[in-house]
Amino acid sequence: MSIHAVKRSQCHLAWDKSIPPVLYVASGETVTFDCLDASNGQIIVSSTSASLHNLVLSQLDQVCGPIAVAGALPGDTLRVDVVALETANWGWTALVPGFGLLADEFPEPALKIWSIDKENGSAWFNEEKGIKIPIHPFAGEMGVARGVDGAFSTIPPYNTGVIIDTKHVTVGSTLYLPIEAPGALFSIGDGHAAQGDGGEYLHNKYHACGLMTSKDSPLCRGTAIETPIKVTVRLTVVKDKSYVKTPHYQTHVVPRSNGSDAGDEYYCTTGVGSEIREAARDAVRHMIVFLIAEHGLDRIAAYMLCSVAGDLRMHEVVDMPNYVASLFMSVSC
């Protein structure tokens, strides 16, 4: 059991290496965070769509921390093992004016309050129509402080992590983050009970529910079921993975093309940038470097392996100015 804990009130709204740590831990220790939802407590169970008119956008997407890890130096890598995660028994999904890939087509606010059945791992979207959403809890924001001076919004993703918004980094998964500031200064938040990837998984999930035909090809953000979470992570400084320049992670939760989850272990590299194609190219480049460093392949062989065994996906397509693309590779391939 973790002996370190961070309260909901110990949070911040910008990534800034000058923010004093709320906690100092040794490498390899675990920390439990009690995190409010992404609205910072502005949305509650009794909220309605009308409540969104009073939503203070500057208070969204707070993160708990930061945590200073002993021995963490710029150039090192922070290993984040997700040990445990529990959602609340409720959550919300909203259309917030000005947010989202189709914001111009959905200008009116809308709010759905969900009842989360944690015992059965699901939440009803529409019980009458038989539409049930499986729960895959994760924290949308996990990151470390940037090495440059200044305060940076918690909303867009950066190479140091932050809002990577991927359902694959859940309990049992390991995230690797490049350290740019002494102590790493790790923070976490933005609890999700469920969310699709930037396009492909949303298609697969709704196709499996019978809501979409094979000719449909949506490109939209899988809006999350936002929820408060309690999450425990183990923070370890790694000295021999200096090739990690963007978030990398290892996971067993990777959806197949038919919408089911595979049980194999996968390693994932990401690309983060202001242009989606370049972010995708970077994700492949980072996988090539990983295969060279960890498996002894030459550059040409690594690129060939990426082309025949890698799965390229989009994770983040709405939190401007940056996108997040990823390349999955089966560890057993």
Side-chain angles (χ1 to χ4, degrees), residues 82-90 116-123 133-142 165-173 188-196 201 224-232 251-253 261:
V82 185
V83 177
L85 195 155
E86 182 181 2
T87 72
N89 60 7
W90 70 280
I116 299 173
D117 185 347
K118 293 191 287 184
E119 182 177 350
N120 294 313
S122 63
I133 302 299
I135 298 304
H136 294 283
F138 68 98
E141 297 220 23
M142 288 191 278
D165 259 358
T166 170
K167 60 166 283 190
H168 310 297
V169 184
T170 185
V171 174
S173 301
I188 190 170
D190 191 22
H192 296 161
Q195 178 178 307
Y201 183 62
I225 301 178
E226 309 284 350
T227 181
I229 58 170
K230 289 186 178 180
V231 56
T232 300
T251 183
H252 63 278
V253 185
D261 285 342

Side-chain angles (χ1 to χ4, degrees), residues 109-157:
L111 178 68
K112 177 178 178 59
I113 301 295
W114 301 75
S115 177
I116 299 173
D117 185 347
K118 293 191 287 184
E119 182 177 350
N120 294 313
S122 63
W124 282 107
F125 180 75
N126 188 314
E127 191 167 0
E128 181 182 350
K129 295 181 180 295
I131 305 172
K132 182 187 291 185
I133 302 299
I135 298 304
H136 294 283
F138 68 98
E141 297 220 23
M142 288 191 278
V144 294
R146 304 187 71 190
V148 292
D149 293 333
F152 299 88
S153 169
T154 56
I155 291 180

